[in-house]
Amino acid sequence: MRRDFEGDITMMLLGIAPSITARKGYQARIRFTKALDKYFEEGGPETGSDLIKARWEANCKYDAARYSGVFELGDLIALLVNATPTFFWMLVHVYSRPDVLAGLRAEISGATTEEMESTPTGVKVTRSIVVSKLKEHCPLLLSTYQETMRVQTHNSSSRWVLKDTVIAEQYLLKAGNIVQMPSYPVHVMPSIYGVDAENFKADRFIKLENRKEKLKQHPASFRSFGGGATLCPGRHFATAELSAATAMFVMRFEMEPVKGPWRVPDWQHGKVVSTVPPPAKDVKVRVSKRKGLEDVAWKFGFEGSVSKFEVLSG
């Protein structure tokens, strides 16, 4: 159902008889909204998050409860369409590089606390990853996240030209036209990101005083979150969310391909909705708990304030 919806999203956005020209996606959208409507009708928000409760209350207050399924489908796209594939790409890039995996585990340990509790059956060990400490203790984690976004983002910013404008004293942009600025060509420019700009380098964004190659990184050179008036308002939440999720996964689990060595797959071309496209094919892996930590309980700790994660943005 998801694939049908995503596959026909372009034609549905055009709005030219979508029930005919985008039949599979159109029907998938109907099934999605009906399932969400059922969730609300059966009292789902009562046990849901504070966010879903607040949205449901607002819909009821302003006589829009009947549209809740449609509204929430839009929210699901915003919350998941880029976060999910970004999480996938981060795990692939990390686990396919043992040195990066080891480095992340070492620094995340500095943002982890441990509690021991005696029980009738022995000692219960609980480890907490303190989200507020990830920014302070985990520069490689944040750099890996930004590097993943840099190499996997394939979005394009669009601007309407309001008046004739000359760029660099040679390019005339005529009023009334649309300028499109794809991110990927900027993200692989050697003058900005180094001679190895087309390669994944986990520590690229770490600011080291002894770095031999000084990069000329202007905030606008990192286009994963757009820029200007359309700069993603949820970028700090997304960074904290994905950094925390990755930290928890790498501390708890081992992961390896079912067959052969790691191979980073190609990405799905032609995606309209997603900034970070999903992989072109499934990657089959084997996941297991880390040896020696099988009986450890894990959780997130939220003591202290979670300040904004420092990421480049235009």
Side-chain angles (χ1 to χ4, degrees), residues 63-91:
D63 193 28
R66 61 187 180 278
Y67 302 120
S68 292
V70 176
F71 292 160
E72 294 311 318
L73 178 57
D75 261 9
L76 287 175
I77 292 174
L79 289 170
L80 301 176
V81 73
N82 289 315
T84 303
T86 299
F87 185 51
F88 165 84
W89 290 116
M90 279 195 73
L91 294 183

Side-chain angles (χ1 to χ4, degrees), residues 88 91-98 254-265 283-286:
F88 165 84
L91 294 183
V92 169
H93 284 301
V94 168
Y95 279 88
S96 62
R97 296 169 173 81
E254 301 289 2
M255 184 170 68
E256 61 182 3
V258 172
K259 292 183 179 180
W262 279 104
R263 291 185 176 86
V264 179
V283 178
K284 295 183 179 181
V285 299
R286 185 179 294 106

Side-chain angles (χ1 to χ4, degrees), residues 96-217:
S96 62
R97 296 169 173 81
D99 58 328
V100 175
L101 178 60
L104 288 177
R105 284 174 173 167
E107 69 175 19
I108 294 169
S109 294
T112 304
T113 61
E114 182 175 281
E115 298 175 0
M116 303 182 71
E117 178 184 357
S118 297
T119 67
T121 58
V123 178
K124 179 182 178 182
V125 179
T126 301
R127 292 186 179 180
S128 301
I129 296 178
V130 184
V131 178
S132 60
K133 291 184 178 180
L134 291 178
K135 174 184 176 182
E136 177 184 351
H137 292 278
C138 305
L140 180 60
L141 176 63
L142 183 57
S143 178
T144 301
Y145 168 71
Q146 292 184 92
E147 181 70 349
T148 299
M149 295 285 283
R150 185 186 72 85
V151 300
Q152 301 298 159
T153 297
H154 295 273
N155 62 342
S156 180
S157 299
S158 300
R159 296 291 186 272
W160 187 269
V161 183
L162 299 179
K163 61 180 181 180
D164 288 359
T165 305
V166 177
I167 303 294
E169 300 182 354
Q170 55 180 321
Y171 302 108
L172 173 62
L173 306 181
K174 295 290 291 183
N177 287 288
I178 295 176
V179 176
Q180 288 192 310
M181 298 164 283
S183 63
Y184 190 73
V186 177
H187 286 176
V188 295
M189 291 182 67
S191 61
I192 299 175
Y193 290 104
V195 295
D196 58 350
E198 294 191 14
N199 300 326
F200 182 93
K201 187 177 181 181
D203 64 350
R204 189 181 302 275
F205 287 86
I206 296 179
K207 296 178 179 179
L208 299 177
E209 292 298 328
N210 60 350
R211 183 189 288 274
K212 294 180 180 179
E213 181 186 18
K214 298 298 182 181
L215 303 181
K216 300 176 182 178
Q217 292 175 326

Side-chain angles (χ1 to χ4, degrees), residues 1 4 24 26-36:
M1 185 165 64
D4 290 339
K24 288 184 177 180
Y26 184 83
Q27 293 299 325
R29 182 172 62 181
I30 291 175
R31 292 196 295 274
F32 270 127
T33 54
K34 284 185 175 180
L36 290 167

